[in-house]
Amino acid sequence: MKIGFIISIGVFLLIIGFFIWKRKSKNTQNAPTEFLKLESENQSNKHIPKLPENWIAEIEKKWDGKAWNKYNNAYYDIWAKACEDVYDKNKYWEKNQTHADFLNELTKEQRVYFTLINFESQVNNGGVYQFLFNYPELSILALQAMQETGLEKLEKDYEIVLKEFFGNFKTIQDLHSKFNDNHRDWNNRWTSFSEGYKELTSTEVIESYFFTEIFTKDYQQKLIDYVKSNPDKIYKIEY
């Protein structure tokens, strides 16, 4: 059961990543980066999922007393309802939208939550650099999201990373363009991606604790608390 759950998460992230990469490589490779912020002129309530009245309580009851597992716990059940299902329902990549376009249509609270979900999945897969490489448009919003959710230590360390990131922004964007160049062979494209790691050495501080059980529990609990404290902004009760 746990293995199947983890595989389903991985498949979902790979699918999302593929369509984001495909769209970026075809349509926005040379476009300037649009940095998302907390507020958006296009934000609305139209993507808020409708859920049963006691859905969070039932999820927490399901996991109460069970041994904690980093990739199989209440956090992921809540994530599936409040985030994954929203992506799956809307499939923005099939609607001539970018990821940024879609996130700008969400509520501010959804944007915060979705950004930190993306941050965690990218960091777990390839570090903070991978998040910034794949989602430069979320770089500033991620800092604001950390502030909104009370991730104080991460916020402080990530702000240092951002200063280094923007100091080397042109170099990283050049590597990004080379990676998305379909005329280059895969090995050369992968080299362009991996070369960027040496441009962001400050990420090592975050990565020294991000994967620990203590930090992961705190990170996931803060996101659970954020969802619970924002009814009507992240989810609506369906009576």
Side-chain angles (χ1 to χ4, degrees):
M1 181 68 177
K2 289 183 179 180
I3 294 175
F5 182 81
I6 294 170
I7 290 174
S8 68
I9 292 173
V11 170
F12 170 74
L13 292 175
L14 285 172
I15 292 172
I16 291 292
F18 169 76
F19 281 108
I20 291 171
W21 168 81
K22 185 176 180 182
R23 177 160 181 78
K24 281 186 176 181
S25 64
K26 285 186 176 181
N27 300 325
T28 62
Q29 182 174 339
N30 298 315
T33 300
E34 174 193 357
F35 295 104
L36 275 67
K37 302 290 183 64
L38 277 181
E39 302 294 340
S40 167
E41 293 180 355
N42 297 322
Q43 65 190 34
S44 69
N45 297 329
K46 66 182 180 180
H47 297 304
I48 298 178
K50 294 181 180 180
L51 296 166
E53 183 175 4
N54 297 315
W55 72 283
I56 294 180
E58 290 175 0
I59 288 174
E60 291 181 325
K61 182 179 179 180
K62 168 187 171 183
W63 292 100
D64 185 39
K66 294 184 179 180
W68 182 83
N69 181 292
K70 181 175 182 178
Y71 296 110
N72 197 13
N73 55 54
Y75 169 78
Y76 283 101
D77 280 0
I78 292 172
W79 164 79
K81 297 291 186 182
C83 179
E84 180 184 17
D85 285 355
V86 177
Y87 273 121
D88 190 53
K89 178 181 178 181
N90 290 280
K91 292 183 173 63
Y92 66 86
W93 52 88
E94 295 179 356
K95 301 177 181 179
N96 199 34
Q97 275 190 313
T98 64
H99 192 216
D101 291 337
F102 174 67
L103 292 181
N104 271 331
E105 291 181 351
L106 304 180
T107 65
K108 180 188 78 172
E109 291 76 13
Q110 283 180 300
R111 212 159 24 256
V112 166
Y113 181 59
F114 281 42
T115 295
L116 291 179
I117 290 291
N118 279 292
F119 181 84
E120 182 191 25
S121 67
Q122 291 291 311
V123 175
N124 281 339
N125 184 258
V128 179
Y129 164 70
Q130 180 173 299
F131 168 75
L132 292 169
F133 185 89
N134 287 337
Y135 297 106
E137 69 274 14
L138 299 183
S139 56
I140 297 172
L141 180 54
L143 180 66
Q144 295 174 316
M146 293 167 192
Q147 294 168 343
E148 288 285 305
T149 53
L151 290 161
E152 296 176 1
K153 176 174 175 53
L154 181 60
E155 172 201 337
K156 178 182 176 182
D157 294 334
Y158 180 69
E159 187 171 8
I160 294 172
V161 172
L162 277 189
K163 291 177 182 177
E164 186 178 27
F165 173 65
F166 284 113
N168 297 322
F169 188 72
K170 185 179 185 303
T171 299
I172 294 173
Q173 286 295 85
D174 287 345
L175 293 173
H176 190 277
S177 295
K178 291 178 181 178
F179 177 76
N180 283 331
D181 185 351
N182 293 324
H183 296 98
R184 305 177 77 217
D185 67 62
W186 175 249
N187 288 334
N188 286 332
R189 291 168 65 188
W190 180 255
T191 298
S192 296
F193 166 76
S194 59
E195 282 180 353
Y197 279 99
K198 64 185 179 184
E199 301 294 330
L200 290 180
T201 58
S202 59
T203 62
E204 295 174 2
V205 174
I206 293 175
E207 290 156 7
S208 69
Y209 61 79
F210 192 88
F211 310 107
T212 65
E213 181 175 324
I214 292 175
F215 179 81
T216 300
K217 283 183 175 180
D218 182 63
Y219 186 96
Q220 293 183 352
Q221 188 59 54
K222 279 186 167 61
L223 265 64
I224 289 174
D225 292 343
Y226 188 74
V227 172
K228 292 168 69 174
S229 65
N230 283 288
D232 298 324
K233 300 296 184 180
I234 295 179
Y235 66 92
K236 289 182 179 179
I237 297 301
E238 186 174 40
Y239 295 100

